[in-house]
Amino acid sequence: MEEEALLRKAREIRAQEHRLKLSLRLRTLDNVVDFIHSKGLISMLGGSELPSLVSALLGKPWKPTGKGFTSWLEWWDLQISGKNAGYLLTDIPRRKDVLGTRIFRNNKTFVSNRLWPTLDPIVRRYQELTGKHEILSQLEWKIIDTLETKGPTRTDKLRAALSLEGKQHTAKFHRALAQLENHGLIVGYEDPNPEKHLHAAIWNLWDRRTELPRKAPHMSYQEAMARLLEKTIDASVLVAESEVPKWFPWEGSLEGKEELVKTGRVVKTESYLVAARVAEE
């Protein structure tokens, strides 16, 4: 297939699969859950290569703007299975089969349990490096140790356990949480039963949240990274090759890219990477 025709076809498939048409928009909770599982990982909001849940709910492309919550009003009150979309999005990460993470571009990303076995060897490697104090900071080590001891812990209680309750500690505490969440080492979801006016996440360690069997991984770190890269390109359908280095925080995340192209698991055309199935359909 000629490059121009391939790219045109990829854009058409992307619009179809990402539900970027009003007639295709997600309308029920079952639609939403099926959408996440069919893609493996999706962006909660939008503005990236991955499918966007908010865009799929609207049936058109959407991304956050500098207007803050004002821009969210476009979709927040959409009714999905009798519930506001805004509240639905806080419910999703509490499901047993979906995680809310920040592994992709440090943005909120929903990950299906079908992809957890691929992520597990990657996260486990960073758990080992963290345990040896070879990466991350002292505060981040303390957060891991505290969650190891206390189990799932809400943000305010975690700060208290670390003696970081003052406002002067807020920025560094949340930077540490973001760094750990970005690497997949911790996973959070909003407390479903907060005290009045309190919105806070409950944090847990990756392995305790996923509860995957604790045995030797079936994949090496390098193979897991290649599979994750392939799955992300497949979910995105079409990506600018120059953007791929910005996706994941882990070292060696691009090592498998050339092998994917060489073996035909991903198609390279002009400055783009395309899911192999596009050329086959």
Side-chain angles (χ1 to χ4, degrees):
M1 186 181 297
E2 294 182 359
E3 292 186 344
E4 185 177 342
L6 179 63
L7 291 175
R8 182 170 60 251
K9 183 178 180 181
R11 292 186 179 101
E12 292 172 354
I13 292 175
R14 177 184 170 86
Q16 183 89 6
E17 292 188 0
H18 290 202
R19 307 298 187 98
L20 302 182
K21 298 178 182 178
L22 186 60
S23 61
L24 299 174
R25 78 177 187 88
L26 305 178
R27 300 174 186 275
T28 69
L29 176 58
D30 286 343
N31 288 163
V32 169
V33 174
D34 289 344
F35 185 62
I36 295 171
H37 287 312
S38 68
K39 300 305 175 189
L41 71 168
I42 67 170
S43 170
M44 185 181 89
L45 296 177
S48 71
E49 296 80 5
L50 281 178
S52 156
L53 182 52
V54 168
S55 296
L57 292 173
L58 287 170
K60 63 180 181 179
W62 185 91
K63 63 180 180 179
T65 69
K67 298 178 182 179
F69 190 74
T70 301
S71 66
W72 291 35
L73 296 179
E74 186 177 2
W75 57 267
W76 185 271
D77 289 332
L78 279 175
Q79 291 295 300
I80 308 297
S81 293
K83 195 164 191 175
N84 283 11
Y87 293 105
L88 173 70
L89 265 59
T90 65
D91 289 344
I92 293 295
R94 292 196 285 265
R95 293 180 58 91
K96 292 184 177 181
D97 56 350
V98 176
L99 292 178
T101 76
R102 290 187 180 274
I103 60 170
F104 184 84
R105 288 186 176 272
N106 198 23
N107 293 325
K108 185 60 73 176
T109 307
F110 295 140
V111 182
S112 163
N113 60 353
R114 297 175 186 176
L115 198 59
W116 298 355
T118 297
L119 282 169
D120 194 52
I122 301 170
V123 177
R124 287 182 65 180
R125 174 174 174 176
Y126 277 79
Q127 286 176 330
E128 292 170 2
L129 293 174
T130 302
K132 296 175 182 178
H133 291 184
E134 293 181 9
I135 59 171
L136 305 178
S137 70
Q138 185 174 22
L139 175 54
E140 289 151 5
W141 303 334
K142 288 182 178 179
I143 292 173
I144 293 288
D145 289 344
T146 302
L147 293 177
E148 183 75 42
T149 301
K150 297 176 68 67
T153 307
R154 199 171 64 187
T155 304
D156 55 324
K157 297 185 183 300
L158 184 57
R159 290 186 67 167
L162 296 166
S163 300
L164 296 175
E165 296 174 280
K167 290 184 179 180
Q168 70 273 24
H169 300 303
T170 298
K172 68 177 181 180
F173 173 72
H174 284 287
R175 279 197 302 270
L177 286 180
Q179 180 79 335
L180 292 170
E181 191 180 14
N182 184 218
H183 282 77
L185 294 166
I186 64 173
V187 182
Y189 58 86
E190 189 168 322
D191 185 353
N193 300 300
E195 287 86 2
K196 189 176 182 181
H197 303 309
L198 177 64
H199 293 275
I202 295 176
W203 299 99
N204 203 353
L205 299 176
W206 162 268
D207 48 348
R208 293 187 179 181
R209 174 64 172 82
T210 59
E211 297 184 338
L212 293 171
R214 292 288 89 187
K215 57 184 179 181
H218 295 293
M219 287 181 282
S220 67
Y221 177 83
Q222 290 76 17
E223 184 182 3
M225 282 301 324
R227 287 197 183 186
L228 176 61
L229 193 61
E230 180 183 11
K231 185 63 180 179
T232 307
I233 294 170
D234 186 77
S236 302
V237 182
L238 170 71
V239 304
E241 187 175 9
S242 61
E243 292 300 306
V244 177
K246 306 173 186 177
W247 284 359
F248 300 110
W250 305 296
E251 290 185 3
S253 60
L254 295 178
E255 290 179 1
K257 184 182 68 171
E258 294 306 319
E259 184 65 19
L260 292 175
V261 173
K262 182 179 178 180
T263 57
R265 293 160 66 185
V266 168
V267 176
K268 183 175 180 178
T269 178
E270 296 183 5
S271 58
Y272 294 93
L273 298 175
V274 182
R277 58 189 170 82
V278 174
E280 298 168 356
E281 294 179 4

